[in-house]
Structure formats: structure tokens, C-alpha cells
Amino acid sequence: MTDPSRFGVYGGQFVPETLMAALEELEHAFRTIVPKEEFQEEMRYYLHEYAGRKTPLTFCRNVSRDFGCRVYLKREDLLHSGAHKLNNALGQALLARFMGKRRLIAETGAGQHGVATAIAGAVLGMQVVVYMGDEDIERQALNVVRMKMLGAQVTPVSSGSRTLKDAINEALRDWVANVETTHYLIGSVVGPHPFPTMVRDFQTVIGTETREQVLEKEGRLPDAIVACVGGGSNAIGIFTPFLDEKTRLYGAEAGGEGPGGRHGATLCRGRPGVLHGAYSYLIQDAFGQILESHSISAGLDYPGVGPEHSFLRDCGRVSYYQVTDREALDAFFYLSRSEGIIPALESAHAVSLAERVASGLAKDDILVINLSGRGDKDVAQVAALAGDTL
Amino acid sequence: MTSRIGEAFSGAGRPLLVACLVAGDPSEEVSLELMREAESCGADIIELVMPHSDPVADGPVMQKAMQRALHAGTTPGTLFTLVREFRARSGTPVLVLTYANIVVQRGIESFYRDAAAAGADGIAVADAPLEEADPFCRAARESGIDQILFVSQTTSRERLEKIAAKASGFLYLVAVLGVTGDREKIDPRVIGILQAVKAVSTLPVVPGFGIGTAGQVREMVRAGADGVIAGSAIVREVERALNDPRGTREAVGAKVRELASALR
């Protein structure tokens, strides 16, 4: 019998005993409530009427000319809130409401998941508290203001590296203390079971739509799909419906400063271990202490990764590569100027890797890039980095 | 074979004080002195914490102590040295508490073997619940030491029974819904849970988290606890006199004495 909490050897439920009852309750709700027509109908309403699904699959004439193959962008940047995070936030918030919980807590790095949770909380009438590292609050000021405008409380986290990892620690501590009234709305395919499976299922809408759209436009499946991987939810979301197909799948990790420098390339440069409830690849020292990650994009600045990605890496189904800060920045400007689409810095990593992948493709080959979010949140940071060259 | 921890509970004829310190806080040298000081001031069992960079079950006092210890260069090697040196002069049981990744990175069997060889009597892993406990329990059995497991007020009766069947030494009752650290009051629900745990297990039941005064110790004993674990209340004393090893020792000793007096 396969253990539903594992992906091969990865995953599991490494949490304090105090949380186990909540995980059992959540797993039960996920298994019994989500498949119900009543839930699915609500979900369809929120995704289609409210969030703006389905998102387009855009054929990019200019990028296709430059890359030398047929390039499509899956436009999660056009989803309400500006990123794919809302698919999962709406799903989990709705599930929490069905479970009778009134309070949502979330962690956020880039702020996109915090904004998505704040939006879901506002529209579903639930209280929202978002934990965010001090350093991220500084570099993602726009999203902090958005969350507050949406009625969420943003709680700064000043422990550890003051980034996403520490925000997750604080959210877990809050959940332990308020487990009876509160749902912890994890923003990626990380954490203890059932989160990696549940978040994947809520994000799979990206891949399901992509499959339908590409079949409609091209009459066949794509040759390659590229997505960025921090925790890995947008990547899992678009990969899942293609796992049993011949489509080659590529994940772009944060190469940060490049060889020898700081990075967020957990799968390329890390080693398996336990963090935030799951056994998965980690960036850690020889003794198991977690090291600080680095990326130009806050959303990829995380020393862990979803356990299913660890499994997909080991079995070779998905190939993971590093994209440096510099390369991501170049791709950010490239897409902005070639197609008039400003990508999130996270998604710019996928664009950069796609260019590399395209060099091995033929003219008629089909390449899909998951454009997981738009770059409005990053314009101040990029402007500061670019300085006079802008 | 009865373990040193088991014997301590059965032989004392009174509830025991488990005094918790972080290995290497504020330094390896002072840490050893503090273990000895805690013992001489009435601690019946020493719980030595191997620090982790991301201690999700811990509140601010323990987090800061772990940061201090890691900053001072504490590794599992430091931990085992401390246990070995303490053990050379003492028969007081030592329990090691840490997080799963610290054990996993050394190799579960190696970690337990090295801990046992150094003279540790039990290991508790804060983020290895029943679902993940098997490899740790197996390693404990093979190394001849106790695997301390946690129960909490959210633990169902069915789980309680399964946990009790796997644990040895004693059951660690998480006395609050939340992380480690001082609380003004004991959560009244703990009393009911204590009784429920005792009904399903013959192992000693020892509450920890949020217990930091003599009054709270007495309250737990009245409720039927076989001992109490005090962590943050003791570790805070280390923080108070950081640059003064003698002052640290005196402050830790005074706190341990206060808590121990409530058990005698």
C-alpha cells in the first residue's frame, strides 16, 4: 500500500504532536468535502466569476521568433490578484469555511500569497493574519499596503533570517496555539501532509486548462513546459496533467549570485532533510541547521521545496536548473520589451530557462512557459537595481 | 531492563523535576557547569536540548537560547561531549531533546548510538509525532535508551493508546496549546488530560511547556503529575546574566531550587 502522505520517500508529517489533530481534521475535510458537488460549485463560481479563470494561453509571436520555436505563455499574471496564488487561497479558504473555521493565517515571502489570502478572506468574510519577515516587508512594500487595504493584519517576523522560512515558523507557532479556530493557509506545495497534495490539487487547474488550450490551438500536446520553483506550487500546478505524457518538464530554481554564491536552488544544490513538516531537499549545513537562502525574487527565496518536487527530481521526470539573479533580471526586461508583459521576478526565472530549453527545440516544437505572476510588485526593486541604465 | 529514567521515577517516591538547559548556551564550558549546578540544586533529570535553527515548537526564550548556542558553535559533537563529561561524575539521568533534522542528518542510528555511548538515557524529538516515530523508536531500542513521546490536549484517546504503546521512560504531556514559554496560569484542561493519559498508560506522565513557578509545579502535582519539566523559566536565567558565568550559575541554581522545593 502506498502511503498517501509520501511522494516516494519524501513528505510526511514532521510536526509537534499538538498539530496532529488539526492535520487529521484537515485531511478528513479535504477528502470528504472537496469532492462534493456543493463545494465544487462554489469553487467554480469563485474561480470563474470572481478570479477571472480561465486564464489565456497566449501565443507569443515575438518570443517565438527570437527563441526559434512556438512559445506560449500561460497567463496566471492575468488572474485576479496578479498571480497563481489565488487558486490555492480561494480553495483552502473555502474549505476552511466549510469546516467552520473563522480565522485564516498565512505566511508570505513575495507578498503574493499574503495578498491572495487577504483577498480570499475579504470575499469570504474571514479574519486574516499574515506573517511576513521584516526583510520581505521592506522589499515588497507595495504588497504590504495591498494586504492592509484588504483588511488583513500583517505581522512582522524578526526572528532568524527574517524571510519566508521564519514567517512559516511563526505561522506554525500561531497555529499550534489557535488550532481550534484557525486554518493555516499554506501558500505552496510544502509543509506536512495533506498540504502538498491539497495545494497541488487546487493549483492543477493551471495545467488542466493549459492542456485543453494547447490541444485546441495546436491539436497536440506541448514538447516542453517550463515553470519556476520556489516552494513549487505553480510548477506542480502546470506539470501534473502532463506527468504521464511525453512532454519534457523543466523547473527553474533561484541560482542567486551564481556558482559559489548565495542561492535558493534547493533541488540543484541541497540535500534531503526535514523542515516545516516534510522530508524534502533543503539548503542546510552538515549538522542539519537550515541555511539562509538568497534570491533576487522574494518568492523563490526559500531553503526548502515541496516534497513532490524532490520525488520528481530523483526519478528524473522533471529537470531542474538554476537561473541566476542576473539572468532573471535580463529575462524580466526581455519579456517586458519584446511582448509588453512585465513578469514577476519569479516568473522571469522561467522565461530565462525557457530560452535555454528552446535552443534544443525545432522550429515547430511547442514550448509553454508558466507565467505565474505579473511584475508590478517588483518594479520599484528592479528600478533601483537598474538605476541609470533604465 | 529498567532504564535509568524509569528507575528515577520508581525509586524516588515523589514527583521529579526535569530541568531543561540548552547545550552550549551560552558556551560549552558554562553549559556543563549549569548542568552540574542544576543537579546539585535539586534537578532529578537533566533535559539537554540540542539546538536547531528552526525550532517550531519553541517560544522566544528557547529560540534565543538556541541562537546563542548555535552562534557559540554548538554541534551534536558538543552535545555528546557535554553528556559524557556530566556522566563521568553523575548518575542523574540525562534526556536529549532535539528536532528531527538534527537526528536525520547524522543518521538516526548513529545519533542514538552516539548519545547512548556518551551516557544519555533518553531522546525526545519535538517534531516526530506517532506517524514518524517508528525509526526513532527502533533506534532507541537498539541503543538501549528511552524514546520519550509527546501527548497533548488535542491527542485523541485512540492516539493516546498508540503513543503509550510505543513510548518508554515517561510520557511528555504538552501542557499548553502553543509553544514553550512561561504562562501566567495552568490551562485547566490539562488536569483532565493528565487523568486521561494516566488511565491508558502505566508510564509516568510528566507535563512540560508553560510551567515556571513553584505554585504551578504544586498545581501539576496535585493534578496527579509524576513530575514536571521546566524549560524557559530556567533558560531565562541564563539570558539574564550572560556575561557573568558565576552570576548565571547562581541564577539558574536559585530557579531550580525554587522549583525543586515544591516537590519535596
Side-chain angles (χ1 to χ4, degrees):
Chain A
M1 200 181 81
T2 42
D3 177 351
S5 79
R6 304 264 170 182
F7 306 92
V9 297
Y10 299 105
Q13 296 181 302
F14 292 89
V15 295
E17 171 62 23
T18 318
L19 280 182
M20 282 310 304
L23 292 180
E24 281 176 0
E25 181 193 8
L26 181 59
E27 188 189 19
H28 182 259
F30 171 59
R31 256 189 299 111
T32 57
I33 295 173
V34 172
K36 279 188 183 154
E37 183 48 33
E38 194 188 347
F39 180 91
Q40 289 297 326
E41 196 178 307
E42 284 284 283
M43 196 64 205
R44 272 194 300 276
Y45 165 78
Y46 284 106
L47 286 181
H48 295 260
E49 298 284 323
Y50 178 76
R53 299 214 74 90
K54 71 172 68 155
T55 61
L57 182 71
T58 304
F59 178 71
C60 294
R61 291 182 175 175
N62 301 329
V63 177
S64 294
R65 185 194 59 225
D66 294 346
F67 285 11
C69 61
R70 302 183 61 75
V71 178
Y72 287 88
L73 295 181
K74 179 58 175 168
R75 303 293 305 280
E76 294 301 295
D77 61 315
L78 294 179
L79 191 67
H80 176 42
S81 83
H84 75 289
K85 294 287 183 189
L86 190 62
N87 300 321
N88 168 54
L90 283 171
Q92 282 196 53
L94 198 57
L95 179 60
R97 202 176 68 172
F98 270 73
M99 291 167 73
K101 309 263 176 181
R102 304 285 311 165
R103 179 173 178 264
L104 300 173
I105 55 173
E107 82 295 338
T108 199
Q112 288 305 117
H113 174 56
V115 167
T117 305
I119 287 171
V123 70
L124 292 169
M126 300 168 88
Q127 189 201 343
V128 174
V129 176
V130 179
Y131 289 93
M132 189 168 186
D134 275 346
E135 188 174 326
D136 291 335
I137 285 181
E138 218 167 278
R139 55 181 170 176
Q140 302 288 340
L142 178 68
N143 272 340
V144 175
V145 176
R146 289 171 81 196
M147 286 185 267
K148 288 180 179 168
M149 284 175 173
L150 290 159
Q153 179 193 322
V154 180
T155 304
V157 176
S158 57
S159 57
S161 59
R162 306 182 301 137
T163 60
L164 180 57
K165 142 181 114 69
D166 309 282
I168 295 178
N169 290 342
E170 275 315 304
L172 282 169
R173 291 179 185 122
D174 178 317
W175 201 27
V176 172
N178 299 291
V179 70
E180 286 152 335
T181 58
T182 298
H183 174 69
Y184 177 17
L185 207 161
I186 289 188
S188 191
V189 284
V190 300
H193 175 72
F195 284 106
T197 302
M198 181 169 68
V199 176
R200 175 194 68 196
D201 285 8
F202 286 134
Q203 291 293 3
T204 298
V205 65
I206 304 172
T208 306
E209 286 177 7
T210 301
R211 196 182 160 107
E212 283 169 19
Q213 289 166 316
V214 77
L215 282 175
E216 194 179 303
K217 288 168 196 283
E218 296 277 353
R220 64 184 189 90
L221 294 177
D223 297 284
I225 299 176
V226 185
C228 65
V229 178
S233 69
N234 87 81
I236 286 284
I238 197 164
F239 291 164
T240 296
F242 297 92
L243 285 175
D244 295 331
E245 307 294 347
K246 289 204 173 94
T247 306
R248 276 165 280 165
L249 306 173
Y250 298 91
E253 287 201 301
E257 297 165 344
R262 298 176 303 152
H263 64 96
T266 312
L267 291 162
C268 294
R269 292 163 74 174
R271 218 173 60 238
V274 176
L275 176 67
H276 296 144
Y279 184 66
S280 192
Y281 277 78
L282 301 179
I283 302 172
Q284 57 181 329
D285 71 11
F287 303 109
Q289 309 296 356
I290 311 306
L291 298 173
E292 287 180 24
S293 53
H294 162 82
S295 172
I296 190 174
S297 79
L300 303 185
D301 193 350
Y302 178 58
V305 67
E308 191 169 4
H309 282 291
S310 293
F311 171 73
L312 293 168
R313 172 202 184 277
D314 281 8
C315 70
R317 178 64 191 92
V318 179
S319 306
Y320 298 87
Y321 294 95
Q322 301 181 60
V323 173
T324 64
D325 290 348
R326 182 71 250 171
E327 290 168 326
L329 205 53
D330 289 345
F332 178 93
F333 281 113
Y334 167 71
L335 194 70
S336 300
R337 289 170 186 184
S338 66
E339 293 288 349
I341 296 171
I342 300 177
L345 279 171
E346 290 78 9
S347 318
H349 285 71
V351 174
S352 178
L353 179 60
E355 188 178 8
R356 243 185 276 169
V357 168
S359 67
L361 295 180
K363 188 169 162 291
D364 291 330
D365 285 350
I366 303 163
L367 170 65
V368 175
I369 303 169
N370 196 13
L371 200 73
S372 55
R374 68 177 184 227
D376 305 47
K377 68 183 177 62
D378 298 315
V379 294
Q381 188 193 352
V382 172
L385 285 169
D388 291 344
T389 64
L390 196 62
Chain B
M1 198 185 81
T2 317
S3 67
R4 205 182 264 134
I5 290 174
E7 277 168 13
F9 280 101
S10 59
R14 61 169 173 80
L16 303 185
L17 174 64
V18 182
C20 170
L21 292 162
V22 174
D25 172 36
S27 67
E28 183 175 338
E29 189 191 347
V30 177
S31 194
L32 180 64
E33 287 176 19
L34 295 179
M35 291 169 75
R36 289 177 174 152
E37 182 71 11
E39 180 192 32
S40 72
C41 292
D44 300 297
I45 297 177
I46 303 292
E47 178 186 306
L48 194 58
V49 176
M50 171 60 215
H52 183 37
S53 55
D54 293 78
V56 293
D58 283 291
V61 172
M62 294 299 283
Q63 284 176 45
K64 273 189 260 168
M66 291 194 206
Q67 280 306 315
R68 284 196 299 272
L70 289 174
H71 196 70
T74 303
T75 67
T78 319
L79 173 91
F80 299 138
T81 302
L82 285 170
V83 174
R84 196 176 306 114
E85 294 193 9
F86 178 78
R87 177 60 65 235
R89 290 202 219 158
S90 167
T92 296
V94 175
L95 162 67
V96 170
L97 184 139
T98 191
Y99 284 81
N101 198 43
I102 303 296
V103 181
V104 166
Q105 293 310 315
R106 194 175 183 90
I108 298 179
E109 293 78 15
S110 306
F111 191 95
Y112 276 72
R113 209 168 38 233
D114 295 346
D121 304 289
I123 295 184
V125 183
D127 54 349
L130 182 64
E131 284 69 10
E132 308 294 346
D134 280 348
F136 300 95
C137 290
R138 199 177 312 123
R141 263 197 315 277
E142 283 165 9
S143 302
I145 59 178
D146 288 319
Q147 181 66 31
I148 310 300
L149 296 181
F150 296 83
V151 296
S152 87
Q153 48 187 281
T154 56
T155 306
S156 67
R157 164 131 195 159
E158 193 193 341
R159 283 181 71 81
L160 270 183
E161 288 173 0
K162 287 185 191 160
I163 294 168
K166 281 191 185 177
S168 60
F170 66 87
L171 285 169
Y172 190 134
L173 171 62
V174 178
V176 300
L177 266 187
V179 293
T180 57
D182 304 344
R183 303 292 195 282
E184 278 188 20
K185 284 195 184 118
I186 300 284
D187 186 334
R189 283 179 295 187
V190 171
I191 313 295
I193 304 296
L194 238 171
Q195 295 309 323
V197 180
K198 290 188 77 92
V200 303
S201 175
T202 55
L203 287 171
V205 181
V206 186
F209 285 44
I211 304 169
T213 67
Q216 289 171 331
V217 170
R218 281 190 207 99
E219 213 177 314
M220 284 300 183
V221 170
R222 270 200 301 277
D226 298 295
V228 294
I229 301 163
S232 297
I234 296 172
V235 169
R236 167 169 295 115
E237 300 301 322
V238 181
E239 186 179 322
R240 272 200 191 137
L242 267 183
N243 297 313
D244 169 15
R246 203 173 123 201
T248 307
R249 211 170 53 230
E250 281 166 9
V252 166
K255 190 69 199 181
V256 172
R257 220 175 287 122
E258 174 202 333
L259 300 171
S261 69
L263 294 168
R264 283 176 166 86

